[in-house]
Amino acid sequence: IAVNSVQTFTNANGITLDLAGHKINTGSEYLKVEGGNLTVDDSSTEKNGEINASGLYTIYNTSSGTLTVNAGKLKNSAKKCIFSNGGNCVTTINGGTVTATDSAAIAIYAGKCSITGGTVESANPKYASEGSSSTSYIGTVSARGQDASVTITGGIVKNTAGTAIYALGSSKGRANIKIEGGEITSKYTTIYPY
């Protein structure tokens, strides 16, 4: 299935995208949750359904949107896989995999993120002392400013080339990171407060 333009879920309650083992390719486009409620699931036995992107995001959660990932594989080969930027946005990862090749798998600039299961992974160094000339600070999970929070109670967060979690500051303060369980691994720093 190919997506040729941004697909927006607006003020929708209870929309479930059941991948059912199928693959959705968004190319440079993405899915957008704007004030709605989107659940990504996969009812197939193999749980091998995918949403693949090569643009800015795979899923953009904004304007008080609620995104829940229960199963399936979300991938982005160029930028962020899940990007949340709205004060009341909620992103929950209960299962499946969220993968970014060259950026944060999950970036929270405003809103809350909860990881209770599944795997969130990247292979992105993006830090000068980790072998990259880049001056950006990007981990597998990046949270920026006091309006962003991440709670991890289960699942796996890993970065095979750099830092697992960045808690980035802004002029208003630093993001809140709370770890109560799960497994976090990285090649360099596990949690980097910057």
Side-chain angles (χ1 to χ4, degrees):
I1 300 170
V3 174
N4 298 318
S5 63
V6 173
Q7 299 299 306
T8 303
F9 299 87
T10 305
N11 296 321
N13 292 317
I15 298 293
T16 297
L17 176 58
D18 183 357
L19 297 173
H22 298 286
K23 292 178 174 61
I24 297 173
N25 295 309
T26 65
S28 61
E29 305 299 340
Y30 52 89
L31 305 182
K32 183 177 182 182
V33 183
E34 187 171 25
N37 185 332
L38 175 65
T39 299
V40 178
D41 213 331
D42 188 343
S43 63
S44 70
T45 303
E46 299 82 8
K47 307 289 185 201
N48 60 355
E50 298 180 5
I51 303 174
N52 298 300
S54 57
L56 291 175
Y57 328 108
T58 305
I59 299 179
Y60 177 29
N61 189 11
T62 186
S63 301
S64 302
T66 298
L67 170 65
T68 304
V69 179
N70 291 328
K73 300 175 182 179
L74 278 60
K75 300 178 181 180
N76 195 305
S77 61
K79 296 289 184 180
K80 303 167 182 72
C81 192
I82 294 174
F83 179 53
S84 178
N85 192 12
N88 295 317
C89 289
V90 176
T91 300
T92 304
I93 310 299
N94 295 321
T97 61
V98 179
T99 306
T101 304
D102 197 38
S103 189
I106 299 175
I108 307 295
Y109 284 15
K112 297 177 182 178
C113 176
S114 174
I115 301 171
T116 67
T119 300
V120 181
E121 60 187 340
S122 70
N124 178 25
K126 292 294 185 192
Y127 182 52
S129 68
E130 297 173 357
S132 171
S133 60
S134 173
T135 57
S136 60
Y137 299 91
I138 302 172
T140 300
V141 176
S142 293
R144 179 177 175 181
Q146 71 175 12
D147 295 329
S149 68
V150 176
T151 301
I152 301 171
T153 59
I156 298 169
V157 175
K158 63 182 178 180
N159 191 319
T160 58
T163 297
I165 300 170
Y166 272 110
L168 303 171
S170 71
S171 60
K172 296 180 180 180
R174 182 173 287 130
N176 182 28
I177 307 292
K178 186 176 184 180
I179 300 171
E180 299 176 335
E183 177 184 329
I184 301 170
T185 60
S186 66
K187 183 174 182 180
Y188 293 101
T189 308
T190 304
I191 302 172
Y192 189 93
Y194 180 79

